Amino acid sequence: MKTKETTVRTARKKTPREVYLAKRRNRKIIVIAVQIGLLLALFGIWELAAATGFIDSFITSCPSRIIATLSSIDAADLFKHIGYTLLECVVGFIVASVLGIAIAILLWRFTTLRKVLEPYIVVLNALPKIALGPIIIIWVGAGAQAIIVMTFLICIIVTVISVLNGFTAVDEGKILLMQSMGATRLQILTKLIIPANVPTLVNMLKINVGLAWVGTIMGEYLVSTAGLGYLIIYGSQVFKMDLVMASTVILCILATLMYLAVAGVEKLTKKRYGAV
């Protein structure tokens, strides 16, 4: 009888791997729970401070007023503004990311060209893109295209620099080994450089998420007739701070969703290329 009980207990005992996975899963649950708790606590303190008069809700707004403002806005009109901003951001983000990677590949392939253009890239990265706003409007017109160009300009240089640094950081010995085995530059790029820089590419996308939203809102500040940036400008001009804060909260939600999409890409790369 004791032997059977011992056998059952032994069979039910978790393996070290199962214990590790369970701890990892529990740790993730705890982190998410704490994150949600902190967010709810922040909104609760904000609402309480406004209700007790500790802060002026006319200036800072509060969660209840934000909800009331969103409820009062026509849904079709609100989604129109969200759609404009989201489209401008996503288009600028995709174009900048794809073209930035292509330019980084070109500069990696031609070393002399990279050395010639490197100082110009550094200068362009340091240039405040907002200063180009009036020029962009004259070049492409006062519309969504100007906002997309602004988003593109803010993301493109950072993309080129980060990806190019990753490409040039690959072990030169591995490249020489592949060359000694007769590999072409294209094979070195596709079989070594890009797979080795999957973490760099994913991190670049994460950075571009934030930069794309900054560029979009900056563009909408300069020229827009619709979009969340337009609502923020309009709300500040007529002192409707509830509208300003409501638009800001929506921006935070959209940015989070976009970041989660990139995180989904990261999970796919982990399955394809291993740990990132």
Side-chain angles (χ1 to χ4, degrees):
M1 193 67 180
K2 289 183 179 180
T3 306
K4 288 183 179 180
E5 289 178 358
T6 305
T7 305
V8 172
R9 290 176 183 174
T10 305
R12 290 178 179 176
K13 187 178 180 180
K14 292 183 178 180
T15 64
R17 185 176 185 278
E18 289 175 338
V19 173
Y20 168 76
L21 291 176
K23 287 183 178 179
R24 186 175 177 181
R25 183 171 56 253
N26 292 337
R27 194 182 303 117
K28 186 181 295 186
I29 293 172
I30 292 172
V31 169
I32 294 174
V34 172
Q35 289 174 338
I36 295 174
L38 286 174
L39 183 62
L40 293 176
L42 175 63
F43 281 117
I45 294 171
W46 186 9
E47 182 68 30
L48 181 62
T52 57
F54 184 75
I55 59 175
D56 188 349
S57 60
F58 175 77
I59 297 175
T60 62
S61 188
C62 62
S64 60
R65 295 184 63 154
I66 290 173
I67 294 172
T69 300
L70 291 175
S71 301
S72 65
I73 300 175
D74 180 66
D77 191 42
L78 179 61
F79 281 112
K80 181 192 76 171
H81 289 290
I82 293 174
Y84 271 103
T85 301
L86 188 60
L87 177 64
E88 292 157 356
C89 180
V90 170
V91 171
F93 169 82
I94 293 175
V95 174
S97 298
V98 173
L99 190 57
I101 293 172
I103 293 173
I105 291 173
L106 185 66
L107 295 177
W108 169 81
R109 173 63 181 83
F110 300 101
T111 306
T112 303
L113 180 64
R114 180 174 75 241
K115 291 180 178 179
V116 170
L117 296 181
E118 200 166 28
Y120 296 99
I121 293 174
V122 173
V123 171
L124 287 174
N125 185 49
L127 176 68
K129 310 304 183 297
I130 191 68
L132 300 175
I135 300 175
I136 294 171
I137 294 171
I138 294 172
W139 283 351
V140 301
Q145 60 271 26
I147 300 170
I148 292 172
V149 170
M150 176 65 74
T151 305
F152 168 80
L153 290 177
I154 288 180
C155 294
I156 183 70
I157 302 300
V158 174
T159 301
V160 172
I161 292 175
S162 60
V163 175
L164 183 59
N165 286 340
F167 285 0
T168 55
V170 175
D171 187 1
E172 190 67 26
K174 294 180 180 179
I175 297 176
L176 292 174
L177 176 61
M178 292 189 68
Q179 288 176 339
S180 67
M181 298 175 67
T184 63
R185 297 292 289 185
L186 180 60
Q187 289 174 328
I188 294 173
L189 176 67
T190 56
K191 303 296 183 181
L192 174 62
I193 302 298
I194 292 179
N197 279 278
V198 168
T200 300
L201 295 174
V202 172
N203 289 332
M204 175 270 297
L205 292 176
K206 289 181 177 180
I207 293 171
N208 275 357
V209 168
L211 292 178
W213 283 107
V214 170
T216 301
I217 300 305
M218 282 174 56
E220 289 187 344
Y221 279 2
L222 288 174
V223 50
S224 66
T225 56
L228 295 174
Y230 168 79
L231 291 181
I232 292 173
I233 291 293
Y234 171 75
S236 63
Q237 288 174 343
V238 297
F239 293 97
K240 290 186 176 180
M241 301 310 296
D242 297 333
L243 180 60
V244 173
M245 295 305 297
S247 301
T248 304
V249 169
I250 294 174
L251 279 174
C252 292
I253 294 172
L254 292 176
T256 301
L257 293 176
M258 195 167 171
Y259 184 87
L260 291 176
V262 174
V265 173
E266 183 179 19
K267 288 184 179 180
L268 292 177
T269 58
K270 284 182 178 180
K271 293 180 181 179
R272 178 68 175 81
Y273 294 100
V276 174

